[in-house]
Coordinates of all heavy atoms in Angstrom, one line a residue:
I213 N -14.3 70.6 13.6 CA -13.1 71.1 12.9 C -12.1 70.0 12.8 O -11.9 69.2 13.7 CB -12.5 72.4 13.5 CG1 -12.3 72.1 15.0 CG2 -13.6 73.5 13.4 CD1 -11.5 73.3 15.6
K214 N -11.3 70.0 11.7 CA -10.3 69.0 11.5 C -9.0 69.8 10.9 O -9.1 70.7 10.1 CB -10.7 68.0 10.4 CG -12.0 67.2 10.8 CD -12.4 66.3 9.9 CE -13.6 65.5 10.4 NZ -14.1 64.5 9.4
A215 N -7.9 69.5 11.5 CA -6.7 70.4 11.2 C -6.2 70.3 9.8 O -6.0 71.3 9.2 CB -5.6 69.8 12.2
Q216 N -6.2 69.0 9.2 CA -5.6 68.9 7.9 C -6.5 69.7 6.8 O -6.0 70.5 6.0 CB -5.5 67.5 7.4 CG -4.3 66.8 7.9 CD -3.9 65.6 7.1 OE1 -3.3 65.7 6.0 NE2 -4.2 64.4 7.6
P217 N -7.8 69.4 6.8 CA -8.6 70.0 5.7 C -8.7 71.6 5.8 O -9.1 72.3 4.9 CB -10.0 69.4 5.9 CG -9.8 68.2 6.7 CD -8.5 68.4 7.6
L218 N -8.5 72.1 7.1 CA -8.6 73.5 7.3 C -7.3 74.2 7.1 O -7.2 75.4 7.5 CB -9.3 73.8 8.6 CG -10.8 73.4 8.8 CD1 -11.2 73.6 10.2 CD2 -11.6 74.1 7.7
G219 N -6.3 73.5 6.8 CA -4.9 74.2 6.5 C -4.0 74.4 7.7 O -3.0 75.1 7.6
G220 N -4.4 73.8 8.8 CA -3.5 73.8 9.9 C -4.2 74.5 11.2 O -5.3 75.0 11.1
L221 N -3.5 74.5 12.3 CA -4.1 74.9 13.5 C -4.4 76.4 13.5 O -5.5 76.8 14.0 CB -3.1 74.8 14.7 CG -3.1 73.4 15.4 CD1 -2.8 72.2 14.5 CD2 -2.3 73.3 16.6
T222 N -3.7 77.3 13.0 CA -3.9 78.7 13.1 C -5.1 79.1 12.4 O -6.1 79.7 13.0 CB -2.7 79.5 12.4 OG1 -1.5 79.3 13.2 CG2 -3.0 81.0 12.6
H223 N -5.4 78.6 11.2 CA -6.6 78.8 10.5 C -7.8 78.2 11.2 O -8.9 78.8 11.3 CB -6.5 78.3 9.0 CG -7.7 78.9 8.2 ND1 -8.3 78.0 7.3 CD2 -8.3 80.0 8.1 CE1 -9.3 78.6 6.7 NE2 -9.2 79.9 7.2
A224 N -7.6 76.9 11.6 CA -8.7 76.4 12.3 C -9.2 77.1 13.6 O -10.4 77.2 13.9 CB -8.3 74.9 12.7
L225 N -8.2 77.5 14.4 CA -8.5 78.3 15.6 C -9.3 79.7 15.2 O -10.1 80.1 15.9 CB -7.3 78.6 16.3 CG -6.6 77.4 17.1 CD1 -5.3 77.7 17.6 CD2 -7.6 76.8 18.2
Q226 N -8.9 80.3 14.1 CA -9.5 81.5 13.7 C -11.0 81.2 13.3 O -11.8 82.1 13.6 CB -8.8 82.0 12.4 CG -7.4 82.6 12.8 CD -6.6 83.0 11.6 OE1 -6.9 82.5 10.4 NE2 -5.4 83.7 11.7
I227 N -11.2 80.1 12.7 CA -12.5 79.8 12.3 C -13.4 79.6 13.6 O -14.6 80.1 13.7 CB -12.6 78.5 11.4 CG1 -12.1 78.8 10.0 CG2 -14.0 77.9 11.3 CD1 -11.8 77.6 9.1
V228 N -12.9 78.9 14.5 CA -13.6 78.7 15.8 C -14.0 80.0 16.4 O -15.1 80.3 16.9 CB -12.9 77.7 16.7 CG1 -13.6 77.6 18.0 CG2 -12.8 76.4 16.1
T229 N -12.9 80.9 16.5 CA -13.2 82.1 17.1 C -14.2 83.0 16.4 O -15.2 83.6 17.1 CB -11.8 82.9 17.1 OG1 -10.9 82.2 18.0 CG2 -12.1 84.3 17.8
A230 N -14.2 83.0 15.0 CA -15.1 83.7 14.3 C -16.5 83.2 14.3 O -17.5 83.9 14.3 CB -14.6 83.9 12.9
A231 N -16.7 81.9 14.4 CA -17.9 81.2 14.4 C -18.6 81.4 15.7 O -19.9 81.5 15.8 CB -17.8 79.8 14.1
G232 N -17.9 81.5 16.8 CA -18.4 81.8 18.2 C -19.3 80.6 18.7 O -20.3 80.9 19.4
L233 N -19.0 79.4 18.2 CA -19.8 78.3 18.6 C -18.8 77.2 19.3 O -17.6 77.2 19.0 CB -20.5 77.6 17.4 CG -21.5 78.4 16.7 CD1 -21.9 77.7 15.3 CD2 -22.7 78.6 17.5
P234 N -19.4 76.3 20.1 CA -18.6 75.2 20.7 C -18.0 74.4 19.5 O -18.6 74.3 18.5 CB -19.6 74.5 21.6 CG -20.7 75.4 21.8 CD -20.8 76.3 20.6
A235 N -16.7 73.9 19.8 CA -16.1 73.2 18.8 C -15.7 71.7 19.3 O -15.5 71.5 20.4 CB -14.8 73.9 18.4
V236 N -15.8 70.8 18.3 CA -15.3 69.4 18.5 C -14.2 69.2 17.4 O -14.5 69.4 16.3 CB -16.5 68.4 18.3 CG1 -15.9 67.0 18.4 CG2 -17.6 68.6 19.3
V237 N -13.0 68.8 17.9 CA -12.0 68.5 17.0 C -12.1 67.1 16.7 O -12.3 66.2 17.4 CB -10.6 68.8 17.6 CG1 -9.5 68.5 16.6 CG2 -10.5 70.3 18.0
S238 N -12.0 66.8 15.3 CA -12.2 65.4 14.8 C -11.0 65.0 13.9 O -10.3 65.9 13.4 CB -13.4 65.2 14.1 OG -13.7 63.8 13.9
S239 N -10.8 63.8 13.7 CA -9.7 63.3 12.7 C -10.3 63.2 11.3 O -11.5 63.0 11.1 CB -9.0 62.0 13.3 OG -9.7 60.9 12.7
A240 N -9.4 63.1 10.4 CA -9.8 62.7 9.0 C -9.3 61.3 8.7 O -8.7 61.1 7.7 CB -9.2 63.7 8.1
L241 N -9.6 60.4 9.6 CA -9.0 59.0 9.6 C -7.5 59.1 9.5 O -6.9 58.5 8.6 CB -9.7 58.3 8.4 CG -9.7 56.8 8.5 CD1 -10.2 56.3 9.8 CD2 -10.4 56.1 7.4
D242 N -6.9 59.8 10.3 CA -5.4 60.1 10.3 C -4.7 58.9 10.9 O -5.2 58.2 11.8 CB -5.1 61.4 11.1 CG -5.8 62.6 10.6 OD1 -5.9 62.8 9.4 OD2 -6.2 63.3 11.5
T243 N -3.4 58.8 10.6 CA -2.4 58.0 11.3 C -2.1 58.7 12.6 O -2.6 59.8 12.9 CB -1.2 57.7 10.5 OG1 -0.3 59.0 10.6 CG2 -1.4 57.5 9.1
A244 N -1.4 57.9 13.4 CA -1.0 58.5 14.8 C -0.4 59.9 14.6 O -0.5 60.8 15.5 CB -0.1 57.6 15.5
I245 N 0.4 60.0 13.5 CA 1.0 61.4 13.3 C 0.0 62.5 13.1 O 0.1 63.5 13.7 CB 2.0 61.2 12.1 CG1 3.1 60.2 12.4 CG2 2.7 62.6 11.9 CD1 4.0 60.3 13.6
G246 N -0.9 62.2 12.3 CA -2.0 63.2 12.0 C -2.8 63.5 13.3 O -3.2 64.7 13.5
L247 N -3.0 62.4 14.1 CA -3.8 62.6 15.2 C -3.1 63.5 16.2 O -3.8 64.2 17.0 CB -4.0 61.2 15.9 CG -5.1 60.3 15.2 CD1 -5.1 59.0 15.9 CD2 -6.4 61.0 15.2
T248 N -1.8 63.5 16.3 CA -1.1 64.5 17.1 C -1.4 65.9 16.8 O -1.4 66.8 17.7 CB 0.5 64.2 17.2 OG1 1.1 64.5 15.9 CG2 0.8 62.8 17.6
Q249 N -1.5 66.2 15.5 CA -1.9 67.6 15.0 C -3.3 67.9 15.5 O -3.5 69.0 15.9 CB -1.8 67.6 13.6 CG -1.9 69.0 13.0 CD -1.8 69.2 11.5 OE1 -1.9 68.1 10.8 NE2 -1.5 70.3 11.0
G250 N -4.2 66.9 15.4 CA -5.5 67.1 15.9 C -5.5 67.3 17.4 O -6.2 68.3 18.0
A251 N -4.8 66.6 18.2 CA -4.7 66.8 19.6 C -4.1 68.2 20.0 O -4.6 68.8 20.9 CB -3.8 65.6 20.3
A252 N -3.1 68.7 19.2 CA -2.5 70.0 19.4 C -3.7 71.0 19.2 O -3.7 72.0 19.9 CB -1.4 70.2 18.5
L253 N -4.5 70.8 18.2 CA -5.6 71.8 17.9 C -6.6 71.8 19.0 O -6.9 72.9 19.5 CB -6.3 71.4 16.6 CG -7.5 72.2 16.2 CD1 -7.2 73.7 16.2 CD2 -8.1 71.7 14.9
A254 N -7.0 70.6 19.5 CA -7.9 70.5 20.6 C -7.3 71.1 21.8 O -8.0 71.8 22.6 CB -8.2 69.1 20.9
A255 N -6.0 70.9 22.1 CA -5.4 71.4 23.2 C -5.2 72.9 23.3 O -5.1 73.5 24.3 CB -3.9 70.8 23.4
A256 N -5.3 73.5 22.1 CA -5.1 75.0 22.0 C -6.4 75.7 22.1 O -6.4 77.0 22.2 CB -4.4 75.4 20.7
L257 N -7.6 75.1 22.0 CA -8.8 75.7 22.1 C -9.1 76.3 23.5 O -8.9 75.6 24.5 CB -9.9 74.8 21.8 CG -10.1 74.3 20.3 CD1 -11.2 73.2 20.2 CD2 -10.6 75.5 19.4
P258 N -9.5 77.5 23.6 CA -9.8 78.1 25.0 C -10.8 77.2 25.8 O -10.7 77.2 27.0 CB -10.3 79.5 24.7 CG -9.7 79.8 23.4 CD -9.7 78.5 22.5
T259 N -11.8 76.7 25.1 CA -12.9 76.0 25.8 C -13.0 74.7 25.0 O -13.1 74.7 23.8 CB -14.2 76.7 25.8 OG1 -14.0 78.0 26.5 CG2 -15.3 75.9 26.5

Side-chain angles (χ1 to χ4, degrees):
I213 57 172
K214 299 179 179 180
Q216 282 202 78
L218 293 176
L221 269 65
T222 298
H223 189 225
L225 291 170
Q226 290 170 347
I227 289 172
V228 174
T229 299
L233 295 171
V236 175
V237 180
S238 193
S239 90
L241 203 54
D242 304 320
T243 75
I245 300 304
L247 288 176
T248 67
Q249 187 178 22
L253 173 55
L257 288 170
T259 304

